[in-house]
Amino acid sequence: MIYYRWKSLVYLCSGSDLQEVIEGHKISLKRRCEHVTEGTHEAGSGTLLNKIYTELYITEGQSEEVDTQHEVRQLERTSKKNIQDTPIKCQDIFKVLSEQQRHIRVVLTNGVAGVGKTFSVQKFSLDWAEGLENQDISLVLLLSWRELNLIRDEQHSLLSLLHVFHPTLQKIRAEDLTVWKLLFIFDGLDESRFSLDFNKHQLISDVTQVSSVEVLLVNLIQGNLLPSALIWITSRPAAAHQIPPWCVDRITEVRGFTDSQKEEYFRRRFSDEDLSKRIISHIKASRSLHIMCLIPVFCWITAIVLEDMMTRDQRGELPKTLTDLYSHFLMVQMKRKKQKYGGKQRPGKLTEADKELFLKLGRLAFEHLEKGNIMFYSEDLERCGLDVSEVSVYSGVCTEIFKRESVIFQKSVYCFVHLSIQEFLAAVYMFHRYTRKDTAVINQFLEYLKPNPFSSENGHLDLFVRFLHGLSLESNQRILGGLLDQRNSHPETIQKVLNNLKEVNSGGISPDRSINIFHCLMEMKDQSVHQEIQEFLKSGEISERELSLIHCSALAYLLQMSEQVLDELDLRQYKTSSEEGRRRLIPAVRNCRNHWKVATSAMTSNPSHLRELDLSWNQNLTDADVKLLSSAMMHPNCRLETLSLSEISCGSLSSALWSNPSHLRVLDLSWNQLKDSGVKLLCGALQDPLCELETLRSVRDDPVLSQSNLSHLRVLDLSDNPLQDSGVKRLCSGLESPNCKLERLRLFSTLLLRYCRLSEISCDSLASALRSNPSHLRELDLGGNQLQDSGVKLLCGFLHFPNCRLETLRLRECSLSEISCDSLASALRSNPSHLRVLDLSWNQLQDSGVKLLCENPHYGLETLRQ
């Protein structure tokens, strides 16, 4: 309905002048997006996007969890395509792909640095500008967070903001924005220097109202401002949490190149077929390089180095480690600078000026890596003694993002071509200071070569530490042409570092993090552990040998990354020197078809560290499998707290809950088709007085389930459950119990064919029940149900109640009008102190209705979505 309303309005409002503006904007956007640069941004380095663009592998997912681990380890984890992944093309990012989805307004796209998020955005924009795709959209408005940073201290209206960034739209009027179908693309959230506050901010609904840029953006994303506008945000994973999940309708992930796309990239890049074959063959031989080539930018770095080495007479071996590769990359950049700007030097040797410049870049890299910054301004460079004109000489290392001659901005912003280059230069800088016996960093340097950095919260220094270990080798120091002082690199020091790595006890950190110790060995070209494990596996002696901790990390990595998918993996078959060793083997589970079986071993080990088990995407669970899982849950060592399942056998699970009921806190059955008999068995366990389950998610209503033991339950999520009004009435009998201490109740409808089907009758039942026991409920979500104004009026009977402590009320898409605003405003006047978040989006409220909710400052509302 919205789609046709948009199209009709555009048709009615389109005059010759406005159509001319749109065409002018398309020409401008095409000019901006049709040329792209790989790695550098120097003038003249652009390539036609359509000439080099390879379709990226993008998947759809709705996980609310944020992956903050180091991005190289994310690549290792996701390098193998999962059969459950749902691929999606960037042109279809806003299209409803199944009958289970509704209108999609806000899309959040994750992806590690350099994986192709910006290329995807540019391809989408270019196809629209050329009239090829998504022509139902009136205007595509591309903005980058790095651009927005430059005006973060200014005051703007949304209309003036568009005029600043898109001068071709100067003739656009406020009324045009409200009737057109707009798409705002905010690229690179991880580069944002804004503090986005979605809980406490000024409410803005007028495109001409002036405010801080931060407040404008929050209101636009929330839907308070231009609620019909589409929003697309791209971000690296660790920064994605800045957008709250309830603002997002679709989450996607750019996964980079598949194996075949990697080969296509190199074949397309080199006209010499023999050269491309040699490069592809070498990359396949090095697992580290092959994994990193998931990232298009890393393909560019690899291509630069290998092309240079394979097309000249060089006697050294081709790089096999990351430190090798990046050392050569630095030297290639130096050579290109000499070729472009002139100057003489001995082959493989840096001049003193080159050394000084690289070390200044290293200082910039190191100081900002510690702070977590990837964007720098001129003043940041100056503090490190860098002249901005010098930086532009090495455009393949540190690049100027906005040219000084920019029409819009006069201020330059800089960044390293890729985060890994920043990490490498930071390692070079620290190693240099250490070899010069700089007392300020000696202790810090030695700490980085011990276990300490491996225990950082998200491993953001893991690759930096890998590079430090790799730089300790004389061979890598030699590549860097005298940049590092080799006089203080003693063989006994190297051997001591190797021994320390092999003996590190990483208790208390994740098994994934422990694998980085193995990577550090590989960067130091110590193949002993790797060869030993390979020999054990080849001879079949792996189960007979006692494995050290470093053996376990190496085995976990090799099994995890193996091309051969295991049917099952029993961790108990390996002899480890300690429980810590067996724990280090857990990452191998990812490459196992029946990985849940391995989890049962982890659940029953002594001590058991497993706290969360997610089998919700395992489509092959049989009753026998669940019985085995339930048996593990009955084990006295089991400390499982969170369990997510797809198809289950309720009888076995209920027995497990009865036998060992005290630890499980979260049970998610939301993707199950439970039968009546199974539900009754399960509910019997929930009624056990020893059951302390706090969160239950289910899509199956049952009278017993609705009235089960709610004394410990804090979150009950029956979203997309075919409750209907009769089901809610049964549920309310449990809510009325004085023992009920429920804090969050979610009855939201997100699926077209299986929604709750609640009406105003349910509102009456809920209001009555909650008045009986009002003091605990903090969140109520009834979105997507046909409550209508009459239903909200009944619900307000609960909000009026003096003991009501509700803080969040969500009534999205409930067929409401301004009449509901009047009812809610009346309730807030009676009991104004608690409600903080009110979501009324996708209702027909009208300005008059919203004004009623905004006019009284004493209501206490902090977030209003309308």
Side-chain angles (χ1 to χ4, degrees):
M1 183 176 68
I2 295 172
Y3 170 78
Y4 290 109
R5 179 167 59 88
W6 267 328
K7 291 208 68 172
S8 62
L9 285 172
V10 172
Y11 177 79
L12 290 171
C13 298
S14 294
S16 58
D17 290 343
L18 292 180
Q19 193 59 39
E20 184 179 333
V21 169
I22 293 176
E23 291 305 316
H25 176 70
K26 284 189 173 183
I27 293 171
S28 174
L29 191 62
K30 179 181 176 182
R31 190 180 300 120
R32 174 176 176 177
C33 295
E34 66 182 348
H35 285 88
V36 295
T37 53
E38 291 183 286
T40 72
H41 287 255
E42 60 181 321
S45 66
T47 306
L48 285 173
L49 174 61
N50 284 331
K51 181 180 179 181
I52 69 166
Y53 183 79
T54 300
E55 190 72 43
L56 289 155
Y57 185 60
I58 305 175
T59 58
E60 181 177 15
Q62 288 292 338
S63 172
E64 295 183 4
E65 297 180 2
V66 177
D67 197 346
T68 59
Q69 63 182 345
H70 192 281
E71 294 186 340
V72 171
R73 288 191 289 109
Q74 291 180 48
L75 290 175
E76 290 161 355
R77 178 176 54 81
T78 61
S79 62
K80 298 174 73 64
K81 186 166 65 173
N82 193 307
I83 59 173
Q84 279 90 26
D85 291 337
T86 304
I88 182 173
K89 293 183 178 181
C90 73
Q91 293 90 347
D92 298 334
I93 209 81
F94 284 95
K95 292 180 181 177
V96 175
L97 302 180
S98 74
E99 59 187 12
Q100 296 182 345
Q101 292 173 331
R102 294 188 176 190
H103 172 69
I104 295 170
R105 192 183 79 86
V106 178
V107 174
L108 176 62
T109 295
N110 293 311
V112 300
V115 79
K117 300 184 296 296
T118 297
F119 269 30
S120 296
V121 161
Q122 288 180 275
K123 178 62 175 172
F124 183 102
S125 303
L126 180 61
D127 284 351
W128 174 82
E130 292 183 334
L132 302 176
E133 298 281 351
N134 293 287
Q135 295 305 289
D136 57 309
I137 298 175
S138 308
L139 279 178
V140 172
L141 302 161
L142 179 56
L143 300 163
S144 71
W145 291 95
R146 57 172 63 155
E147 289 175 327
L148 291 166
N149 287 339
L150 300 179
I151 59 167
R152 66 184 183 277
D153 297 325
E154 298 179 13
Q155 297 279 311
H156 280 280
S157 68
L158 184 60
L159 187 61
S160 69
L161 194 70
L162 294 183
H163 291 165
V164 167
F165 287 99
H166 295 281
T168 55
L169 300 179
Q170 292 288 339
K171 293 182 181 180
I172 291 292
R173 304 162 301 181
E175 53 267 32
D176 299 325
L177 296 181
T178 59
V179 297
W180 284 352
K181 182 177 182 180
L182 308 176
L183 167 58
F184 289 85
I185 302 178
F186 297 105
D187 189 31
L189 176 64
D190 45 281
E191 297 171 352
S192 167
R193 293 199 174 184
F194 291 91
S195 298
L196 302 177
D197 188 347
F198 285 82
N199 295 317
K200 295 183 179 180
H201 61 80
Q202 178 187 6
L203 181 66
I204 295 178
S205 57
D206 188 339
V207 297
T208 63
Q209 186 175 346
V210 175
S211 179
S212 68
V213 178
E214 174 186 316
V215 170
L216 284 178
L217 297 176
V218 168
N219 276 276
L220 184 61
I221 294 169
Q222 281 188 323
N224 302 324
L225 190 58
L226 295 181
S228 60
L230 305 177
I231 310 292
W232 187 7
I233 303 167
T234 71
S235 175
R236 286 165 57 191
H241 69 279
Q242 297 179 62
I243 309 299
W246 50 265
C247 285
V248 180
D249 300 299
R250 169 178 281 164
I251 296 176
T252 62
E253 180 183 5
V254 180
R255 302 276 285 274
F257 288 150
T258 62
D259 288 352
S260 61
Q261 289 167 344
K262 295 173 193 175
E263 297 182 21
E264 181 184 345
Y265 172 89
F266 290 107
R267 283 195 298 267
R268 189 181 65 247
R269 182 180 177 88
F270 301 109
S271 56
D272 186 334
E273 184 178 349
D274 180 62
L275 177 61
S276 65
K277 285 182 178 179
R278 290 166 61 200
I279 289 177
I280 291 169
S281 176
H282 178 73
I283 291 169
K284 285 183 174 181
S286 171
R287 190 62 185 169
S288 292
L289 301 189
H290 194 248
I291 290 171
M292 288 292 283
C293 278
L294 281 164
I295 305 177
V297 166
F298 190 82
C299 288
W300 171 77
I301 294 172
T302 306
I304 284 177
V305 171
L306 295 183
E307 179 186 23
D308 179 77
M309 297 185 72
M310 289 181 174
T311 55
R312 63 180 171 85
D313 185 20
Q314 61 92 24
R315 298 176 183 176
E317 66 173 353
L318 295 174
K320 294 180 179 178
T321 68
L322 295 184
T323 310
D324 261 352
L325 186 77
Y326 278 69
S327 298
H328 281 291
F329 176 74
L330 210 59
M331 300 309 291
V332 171
Q333 291 303 316
M334 178 271 299
K335 186 171 74 172
R336 287 187 170 190
K337 187 266 289 188
K338 294 298 180 184
Q339 291 171 346
K340 183 173 182 179
Y341 296 97
K344 296 181 179 180
Q345 70 175 75
R346 292 165 55 194
K349 292 292 181 181
L350 293 170
T351 65
E352 289 302 316
D354 289 327
K355 291 180 185 179
E356 184 179 358
L357 179 57
F358 276 132
L359 291 173
K360 287 176 180 178
L361 285 170
R363 177 186 170 189
L364 177 74
F366 178 71
E367 291 181 355
H368 286 271
L369 184 65
E370 284 194 315
K371 298 174 185 176
N373 293 339
I374 60 174
M375 308 293 297
F376 327 112
Y377 298 97
S378 298
E379 52 267 31
D380 297 323
L381 274 64
E382 291 166 2
R383 276 194 290 270
C384 295
L386 282 162
D387 186 300
V388 294
S389 61
E390 292 179 306
V391 172
S392 62
V393 170
Y394 287 96
S395 58
V397 177
C398 189
T399 180
E400 184 179 4
I401 298 165
F402 299 116
K403 306 302 178 188
R404 280 183 293 276
E405 65 269 18
S406 169
V407 175
I408 303 175
F409 302 111
Q410 298 302 314
K411 190 170 184 177
S412 296
V413 183
Y414 303 84
C415 73
F416 290 98
V417 170
H418 188 253
L419 174 62
S420 57
I421 292 177
Q422 180 176 348
E423 292 168 308
F424 177 72
L425 282 170
V428 168
Y429 171 72
M430 170 158 273
F431 201 97
H432 167 78
R433 291 184 65 184
Y434 169 71
T435 57
R436 290 301 176 93
K437 295 189 181 299
D438 187 334
T439 55
V441 302
I442 286 179
N443 290 334
Q444 188 179 10
F445 176 84
L446 293 175
E447 286 297 308
Y448 282 130
L449 297 184
K450 294 178 182 179
N452 302 56
F454 301 114
S455 60
S456 62
E457 184 176 349
N458 60 5
H460 72 287
L461 295 177
D462 279 4
L463 190 56
F464 164 75
V465 171
R466 274 207 232 175
F467 283 136
L468 273 184
H469 283 83
L471 288 171
S472 65
L473 292 186
E474 184 182 346
S475 58
N476 286 329
Q477 296 168 17
R478 194 164 48 244
I479 295 170
L480 291 171
L483 183 58
L484 301 177
D485 190 346
Q486 296 174 241
R487 292 172 297 177
N488 294 310
S489 299
H490 301 295
E492 60 269 22
T493 303
I494 302 300
Q495 191 58 49
K496 184 177 180 180
V497 171
L498 289 172
N499 292 338
N500 285 341
L501 284 172
K502 294 178 182 180
E503 296 169 4
V504 167
N505 188 332
S506 58
I509 70 172
S510 73
D512 282 308
R513 302 292 319 288
S514 300
I515 287 177
N516 200 55
I517 304 171
F518 172 65
H519 285 311
C520 289
L521 281 176
M522 300 298 286
E523 288 300 320
M524 296 183 74
K525 299 185 179 178
D526 184 315
Q527 299 284 334
S528 60
V529 174
H530 180 266
Q531 290 171 353
E532 287 171 3
I533 291 297
Q534 292 279 38
E535 290 173 5
F536 294 164
L537 288 170
K538 188 176 181 180
S539 65
E541 299 176 3
I542 190 69
S543 59
E544 301 171 11
R545 299 275 186 164
E546 182 171 270
L547 304 179
S548 66
L549 291 178
I550 192 63
H551 278 140
C552 292
S553 290
L555 177 60
Y557 178 74
L558 293 176
L559 291 176
Q560 177 185 350
M561 304 313 300
S562 172
E563 294 297 328
Q564 180 182 359
V565 180
L566 302 173
D567 286 325
E568 59 182 78
L569 178 64
D570 185 355
L571 299 183
R572 290 171 293 192
Q573 70 176 301
Y574 302 108
K575 294 180 181 179
T576 60
S577 57
S578 65
E579 280 298 323
E580 169 62 21
R582 186 169 287 112
R583 200 173 70 92
R584 284 199 188 187
L585 290 170
I586 291 176
V589 171
R590 297 193 183 99
N591 199 24
C592 180
R593 287 190 180 91
N594 296 324
H595 61 271
W596 59 271
K597 289 186 178 179
V598 188
T600 62
S601 172
M603 289 163 62
T604 58
S605 62
N606 186 18
S608 174
H609 300 284
L610 193 64
R611 296 295 180 268
E612 180 175 350
L613 180 58
D614 186 351
L615 301 175
S616 56
W617 294 104
N618 193 318
Q619 303 301 315
N620 301 313
L621 275 170
T622 64
D623 284 349
D625 298 332
V626 177
K627 287 180 180 178
L628 183 61
L629 176 66
S630 300
S631 176
M633 290 179 63
M634 296 180 195
H635 198 282
N637 290 340
C638 179
R639 295 295 184 272
L640 195 67
E641 296 175 358
T642 300
L643 175 62
S644 303
L645 291 170
S646 53
E647 299 175 9
I648 70 163
S649 170
C650 290
S652 300
L653 182 59
S654 62
S655 297
L657 290 173
W658 256 322
S659 300
N660 188 17
S662 60
H663 298 290
L664 200 66
R665 296 293 181 269
V666 179
L667 178 59
D668 188 345
L669 305 176
S670 54
W671 294 101
N672 285 278
Q673 299 294 320
L674 306 183
K675 298 179 180 178
D676 292 340
S677 57
V679 172
K680 289 181 179 179
L681 285 170
L682 183 60
C683 290
L686 297 178
Q687 290 176 315
D688 190 290
L690 296 179
C691 178
E692 296 187 6
L693 197 69
E694 295 177 355
T695 299
L696 174 63
R697 300 187 182 99
S698 171
V699 293
R700 179 66 166 85
D701 169 49
D702 184 271
V704 184
L705 178 62
S706 302
Q707 301 169 43
S708 296
N709 175 22
L710 300 182
S711 61
H712 294 287
L713 211 59
R714 297 294 179 268
V715 179
L716 179 58
D717 189 346
L718 299 178
S719 296
D720 298 322
N721 186 315
L723 285 170
Q724 305 188 53
D725 295 324
S726 57
V728 172
K729 189 172 182 179
R730 292 194 298 270
L731 173 65
C732 286
S733 64
L735 297 177
E736 290 174 350
S737 170
N739 294 326
C740 177
K741 295 180 175 58
L742 202 65
E743 296 177 0
R744 297 181 182 180
L745 176 59
R746 296 170 183 158
L747 305 175
F748 183 73
S749 294
T750 57
L751 308 182
L752 288 176
L753 298 182
R754 196 173 61 212
Y755 46 80
C756 295
R757 298 187 181 93
L758 309 186
S759 72
E760 67 266 29
I761 298 173
S762 290
C763 293
D764 189 25
S765 302
L766 284 169
S768 175
L770 294 173
R771 278 198 303 269
S772 302
N773 187 18
S775 60
H776 297 288
L777 199 68
R778 296 292 182 269
E779 178 182 338
L780 179 59
D781 189 345
L782 299 174
N785 293 290
Q786 300 300 307
L787 305 183
Q788 305 186 58
D789 296 323
S790 55
V792 172
K793 186 174 182 180
L794 291 166
L795 189 64
C796 286
F798 166 56
L799 298 179
H800 274 286
F801 204 67
N803 291 336
C804 174
R805 297 293 185 271
L806 198 67
E807 297 174 357
T808 299
L809 177 59
R810 304 193 190 281
L811 301 172
R812 177 176 176 170
E813 280 189 286
C814 289
S815 301
L816 310 183
S817 72
E818 68 270 22
I819 298 173
S820 289
C821 296
D822 189 22
S823 301
L824 288 165
S826 174
L828 289 172
R829 281 194 296 270
S830 302
N831 187 19
S833 60
H834 298 289
L835 200 64
R836 295 291 179 267
V837 178
L838 179 57
D839 186 352
L840 299 173
S841 54
W842 297 99
N843 289 293
Q844 304 299 317
L845 303 183
Q846 310 297 329
D847 292 340
S848 57
V850 176
K851 187 177 180 182
L852 285 170
L853 293 171
C854 299
E855 63 184 6
N856 194 328
H858 302 296
Y859 287 168
L861 273 181
E862 296 172 356
T863 300
L864 174 62
R865 301 189 69 197
Q866 48 82 24

